[in-house]
Amino acid sequence: MGKLVLGLWVVFVLGVFSKCIVGFEHFNLTELRFESLHGGVSAASAASNPLVVDLTLIQGAAAQGAVCLDGTLPGYHLDRGSGSGENSWLIQLEGGGWCNNRRSCVYRQTTRRGSSNYMEKRIPFTGILSNKAEENPDFFNWNRVKLRYCDGASFAGDGEDKAAKLEFKGQRIWSAAMEELMSRGMHNTNQALLSGCSAGGLASILHCDEFRDLFPGSTKVKCLSDAGLFLDAADVSGGHTLRKFFGGVVSLQVQESLAPAAADPSGYWRDCKMDHAQCTEAQVQFLQGFRNHMLNAVKGFSTSEQNGLFINSCFAHCQTERQDTWFADDSPLIGTKGIALGVGDWYFDRADIKAIDCPYPCDKTCHNLVFK
């Protein structure tokens, strides 16, 4: 099974687990922070008149105990495929950080990351979910699904905190959603792609083999993780913030990893985090050290012919979901190939994709990307 990894070190990586592409992000900012900076669903304004798709709640989920943190029903957005893509399915797992203690999970109950009561009823489909061939050449006419994220732990875990009225049912949400989609035609698919970004990218790694097992061996199945590899790397204080953070996530139910506020009380990294052009030479060197750490971590993964890598040097999160990074006139390139074509070549076996960009700031195609 093929896996593709997309990431950023400042880099973007594509990789395959059983058959999956994995993505990385340089700062590994949580999606909650990312979305607050970008005003919600990413890159909606970058696409021209994007398709807007209604939310569907999984009505049978409660009977299976598959509920959001607050006990409400989970949901998804589905746009049907057509023509040559009528029997092809792309599942995009939504990201949005994690909650790692009772307080943060209780807070999420009052947001779209913990309750379907607060989810947008309609969302734009852009990037890898776009229905326009000129914006999404390989997957535009597939059945495309956005599975909403409301369990706080990358669709993993199966427990509860009765005192705090918290439901940790990510694994059940995953299973209920797959059962629902299979009943809606996914069982007839001849090719399928599981994808996700950040916390959703991690989920695509966690559930890749389960996804493969849903289908006959003759079905082409691969997994794509965009910015979903979170390394146990030292942060700017020399500590391991991400290790501690995930320890809380795991102990509870199953924003930053390199320069968290706790590791940077004086705010030395604040400007660099928000605008890479403001990074000092010493800060850039620290980031390049993280890049090297990541490249070493995926070295073994990259030896498989099935797996793919697309690692660029751009400071941009969730590049598969953003139209400007996914497929546009000025999208980032490695050599002459952009992300969308790289993913397509990997999925359809048109080319071996093991693309690793030069270290920042040499790649001029990244310079138009900024956090907004």
Side-chain angles (χ1 to χ4, degrees):
M1 177 179 178
K3 301 173 183 176
L4 177 61
V5 176
L6 305 173
L8 88 130
W9 349 297
V10 171
V11 288
F12 191 69
V13 183
L14 306 177
V16 180
F17 303 90
S18 303
K19 296 194 172 152
C20 131
I21 282 188
V22 178
F24 304 83
E25 179 189 5
H26 183 74
F27 290 119
N28 285 328
L29 297 171
T30 66
E31 283 96 334
L32 285 179
R33 175 170 175 77
F34 171 78
E35 291 182 1
S36 68
L37 292 172
H38 289 258
V41 179
S42 59
S45 61
S48 57
N49 300 315
L51 174 71
V52 179
V53 182
D54 292 334
L55 173 67
T56 298
L57 297 180
I58 304 174
Q59 297 300 327
Q64 304 175 48
V67 293
C68 299
L69 285 169
D70 71 337
T72 54
L73 295 175
Y76 62 93
H77 304 257
L78 164 64
D79 184 50
R80 288 289 188 179
S82 62
S84 61
E86 184 176 4
N87 290 320
S88 300
W89 286 73
L90 186 156
I91 312 300
Q92 177 80 356
L93 302 178
E94 185 178 33
W98 311 270
C99 59
N100 68 325
N101 54 44
R102 179 182 287 184
R103 181 180 178 183
S104 61
C105 289
V106 168
Y107 170 76
R108 286 174 76 103
Q109 289 181 316
T110 60
T111 74
R112 65 185 186 276
R113 295 290 177 251
S115 172
S116 57
N117 288 338
Y118 298 94
M119 291 177 184
E120 304 91 337
K121 304 309 178 189
R122 309 179 76 207
I123 64 170
F125 270 24
T126 60
I128 198 171
L129 294 175
S130 173
N131 67 331
K132 300 178 176 65
E134 64 272 20
E135 296 177 349
N136 187 24
D138 283 309
F139 308 106
F140 73 97
N141 64 345
W142 283 31
N143 295 280
R144 299 169 328 285
V145 179
K146 181 81 162 188
L147 181 58
R148 302 304 295 267
Y149 174 41
C150 64
D151 69 277
S154 292
F155 297 93
D158 185 8
E160 61 183 355
D161 183 334
K162 291 183 178 179
K165 298 181 180 179
L166 286 166
E167 300 287 345
F168 304 123
K169 305 297 186 182
Q171 179 65 43
R172 296 194 187 197
I173 291 173
W174 160 265
S175 298
M178 294 304 104
E179 181 179 322
E180 166 105 343
L181 295 173
M182 293 293 275
S183 72
R184 298 196 64 179
M186 194 168 72
H187 68 286
N188 289 322
T189 189
N190 50 36
Q191 49 190 8
L193 175 61
L194 177 66
S195 67
C197 173
S198 202
L202 175 59
S204 72
I205 296 173
L206 298 176
H207 292 292
C208 184
D209 291 333
E210 291 177 74
F211 190 64
R212 164 70 272 185
D213 289 343
L214 291 173
F215 309 101
S218 58
T219 304
K220 186 182 188 70
V221 182
K222 294 191 179 184
C223 304
L224 161 63
S225 175
D226 176 1
L229 183 64
F230 298 89
L231 301 179
D232 182 22
D235 59 36
V236 295
S237 72
H240 287 263
T241 302
L242 197 62
R243 181 189 303 175
K244 182 178 180 180
F245 185 93
F246 273 108
V249 175
V250 172
S251 64
L252 186 65
Q253 55 171 311
V254 148
Q255 210 81 19
E256 304 170 11
S257 64
L258 291 183
D264 186 33
S266 65
Y268 173 68
W269 280 84
R270 182 185 59 197
D271 291 342
C272 178
K273 287 164 61 176
M274 300 306 296
D275 181 359
H276 57 275
Q278 302 300 314
C279 296
T280 66
E281 183 176 350
Q283 288 171 325
V284 170
Q285 289 302 312
F286 178 86
L287 299 180
Q288 299 302 359
F290 181 72
R291 170 185 184 267
N292 294 335
H293 186 137
M294 190 193 69
L295 292 179
N296 286 332
V298 300
K299 189 174 296 183
F301 171 85
S302 66
T303 60
S304 169
E305 292 183 0
Q306 298 180 96
N307 294 348
L309 301 172
F310 191 101
I311 305 179
N312 67 24
S313 297
C314 302
F315 284 78
H317 194 49
C318 293
Q319 295 186 48
T320 56
E321 298 178 358
R322 294 174 50 165
Q323 195 60 54
D324 58 343
T325 49
W326 174 249
F327 195 73
D329 291 341
D330 58 353
S331 291
L333 304 174
I334 297 182
T336 60
K337 186 167 294 186
I339 296 164
L341 295 183
V343 171
D345 284 351
W346 162 79
Y347 183 86
F348 293 105
D349 303 310
R350 296 189 298 240
D352 183 33
I353 301 298
K354 301 285 198 303
I356 299 177
D357 206 356
C358 56
Y360 172 85
C362 72
D363 188 345
K364 305 304 180 184
T365 68
C366 292
H367 290 187
N368 292 328
L369 299 176
V370 296
F371 283 116
K372 300 176 181 178

